Amino acid sequence: MNPRHIFRGLVMAPMLMLAAACSEQSGQAQAVASTPAGATQYDLVLRNGTVVDGTGKDAYAADLAIVGGRIVAIGELDAAAAGEVIDVSGKIVAPGFIDVHSHADRALDDPSTAAIEGFLRQGVTTAVYGVDGFLDLERMQRYAELGEQGGMGINFMAYIGHNAVRREVMGMDNREPDPTELQQMQDIVRDAMEFGAAGLSTGLMYLPGSYASTEEVVALAKVTAPYGGVYDSHVRDPAKNLLASHQECLDIGLAAGVDPHPGHIKAVGAANFGKGPDIVNLVEAGIARGQNVTVDLYPYDGAATAPVIALLYPGNDERGKTLRQRMAGIMSDEPAAGDTMEQLTQDLRQYWRDSAGQPEILAQARAITEEPPEGLYSWVEVVGYQSMRVVVSENKEYEGRMVVDLAEDLDITPFELYRQLIVAEGDNAMVTLGAIQEDDIRVVMRQPWAMISSDGAEVDPEHPRGRGTFPRVLGRYVREWGVLSLEEAVHKMSGLPAQYLKLTDRGVLREGAVADIVVFDPETVIDRATWAEPTLYAEGVEHVFINGDAALLHGSVSESRHGQFVPFAPGVTE
């Protein structure tokens, strides 16, 4: 989840195309491709490129032609006539990237950000929303309408979110659903699947999802099985119970009869350093018992980030209670009249400055932060200080240090370290809520069932993954570090996600496929976003075509928007 949204608030009639119409369109595409070259008229030809087709096969030199939003020819097309020809010599022509775990959907609530430029500049043509269990059916339908109206920059698919469904039926109650409530939740999931959801997503680490039993989730996931749906999960307790939490995900998939997919998988927190191979073994064991297990991960050594000022809760004095209420308002995007993030930050900073000489208030605040009452979500309680690492500080010697180790060196508690950082730096000091070791990232990334995702946001990203994930894989993990071959990397960002989502006409470059295409320079593609400057756009992606139309051309974002809702339709050609 986008980290600073912890503080700013987590915001969480398309139709399946008829098979006959699809067959007709595909047939037309093949007919055009077989027309003698001298008589062919294409809409667009990408000439002299190197094709990496998304299947994992070796790259090859070829031209590529588009007609009516579909790829109609790949090969030597020197004699072909076209409405537009783009010379892509020295560039890679690949399927548009599919981000299977994205939080870019918040951008769709504002026309000024709905182009989703940060992801376009990474080569992303399709994103999957509803991850971590927070998307409801109404928002899914609203976003689909926006696509029909030409209002979104990239395609999207979506899960129906368990947290959203549970909240709609049961509010924030910490209890099991009664039979009527369970049926109501199942009905909502069924309606979402009928609409075109790809499956069920849970966020069992978050409220109210954490209140749900395994059996409740199985009962809801079973509803998606007749539709071929998948089960995506932000697992229950990755920092403190890494392997058991991921095993629960696989067990839910087995019991429900659906493919399990642990999202943004990682050996997170100091207690789990070195457990990347254990994750691999767990997934392989699931595959060995007959399950189709896949995972996604992002190429960064830290999970969600948060400003330190958002992690401590004030005490039970009247001033502290008022500040906690204001924090809750900001978190839920319902601030009190006239309240602002800037004013709240200033007042919190002063509160923590004044509390230095008030041990009783500090003791209350520490207790609330580390052992919060029911209904109050605390990252410190959920993942522990031992999972956190400083990523941004005015004191550069602090950056890169594990919080527990730094506090020990300073001979203070982690709570006191955070209090001092707030007083000294306000909302500038940032931590990752889950440190990860690079070796653990690489051992999972190399697996054939592991695909790339961003887990990133478009609006106000506070983690570099929202601007840099896909170019980072190409520039760092392929070109600089040699962790993956170019063909492997592209497959993990296109063909493999398409297989997981049961897309038959996207994710690979072949005749008849939808023309979702990215063109990038393999020598310059790179991420630029950092922990300190997470909003910097990536470089090296030159052209992006979505449904055959130019969304990014010669590095410039098109004024028109070509994204649409892609309904989940396993086995159905679009």
Side-chain angles (χ1 to χ4, degrees), residues 430-450:
M430 301 281 291
V431 296
T432 174
L433 301 170
I436 311 164
Q437 285 192 324
E438 182 62 34
D439 286 348
D440 289 327
I441 296 172
R442 296 183 183 193
V443 73
V444 175
M445 183 183 287
R446 290 188 176 105
Q447 302 307 313
W449 33 259

Side-chain angles (χ1 to χ4, degrees), residues 90-373:
K91 307 303 188 293
I92 300 299
V93 180
F97 301 143
I98 300 172
D99 186 353
V100 296
H101 194 108
S102 174
H103 293 284
D105 50 324
R106 184 180 169 215
L108 301 180
D109 295 326
D110 184 345
S112 69
T113 57
I116 313 187
E117 181 176 355
F119 285 85
L120 274 178
R121 292 192 177 279
Q122 296 183 61
V124 173
T125 56
T126 301
V128 182
Y129 302 145
V131 294
D132 299 340
F134 286 101
L135 186 68
D136 59 44
L137 179 55
E138 185 277 330
R139 282 178 61 208
M140 190 188 305
Q141 292 170 330
R142 178 158 49 87
Y143 292 159
E145 283 187 15
L146 186 64
E148 290 184 339
Q149 297 163 2
M152 68 175 62
I154 63 176
N155 300 320
F156 84 97
M157 299 181 70
Y159 303 114
I160 182 65
H162 169 247
N163 283 320
V165 172
R166 197 178 210 274
R167 179 177 292 181
E168 181 177 339
V169 174
M170 300 177 60
M172 297 297 290
D173 291 356
N174 181 4
R175 59 178 176 81
E176 293 184 4
D178 63 34
T180 299
E181 290 168 330
L182 182 60
Q183 184 63 56
Q184 288 175 330
M185 290 193 286
Q186 289 174 320
D187 289 344
I188 295 171
V189 172
R190 186 173 296 106
D191 288 344
M193 296 305 295
E194 289 285 343
F195 184 75
L200 177 72
S201 178
T202 57
L204 299 178
M205 196 174 82
Y206 303 114
L207 302 177
S210 61
Y211 298 149
S213 66
T214 300
E215 292 73 22
E216 175 185 322
V217 180
V218 169
L220 298 181
K222 278 184 176 179
V223 175
T224 74
Y227 300 89
V230 296
Y231 173 60
D232 166 82
S233 183
H234 184 311
V235 298
R236 193 178 294 274
D237 189 9
K240 298 178 181 179
N241 292 285
L242 177 73
L243 299 179
S245 294
H246 285 90
Q247 187 63 55
E248 181 188 29
C249 176
L250 270 60
D251 291 344
I252 288 170
L254 185 66
V258 298
D259 295 343
H261 182 91
H264 49 46
I265 201 166
K266 51 193 172 290
V268 64
N272 297 310
F273 287 173
K275 290 185 179 179
D278 295 332
I279 291 175
V280 172
N281 291 337
L282 185 148
V283 173
E284 290 288 353
I287 293 171
R289 71 178 181 180
Q291 290 187 274
N292 181 25
V293 187
T294 54
V295 308
D296 62 77
L297 75 160
Y298 44 78
Y300 292 90
D301 64 358
T305 53
V308 172
I309 199 170
L311 299 179
L312 300 191
Y313 285 111
N316 283 325
D317 56 306
E318 288 304 314
R319 187 177 168 199
K321 290 178 181 178
T322 298
L323 285 169
R324 288 210 308 272
Q325 290 174 348
R326 291 172 62 191
M327 290 174 71
I330 294 290
M331 290 177 187
S332 61
D333 256 7
E334 297 177 353
D339 202 2
T340 65
M341 178 73 171
E342 291 72 20
Q343 186 60 54
L344 177 59
T345 297
Q346 180 179 325
D347 293 346
L348 281 168
R349 193 174 184 179
Q350 187 61 50
Y351 177 86
W352 292 116
R353 182 180 291 112
D354 295 343
S355 68
Q358 303 178 63
E360 182 177 349
I361 289 178
L362 285 177
Q364 292 174 357
R366 181 176 177 181
I368 293 169
T369 296
E370 298 177 359
E371 298 180 44

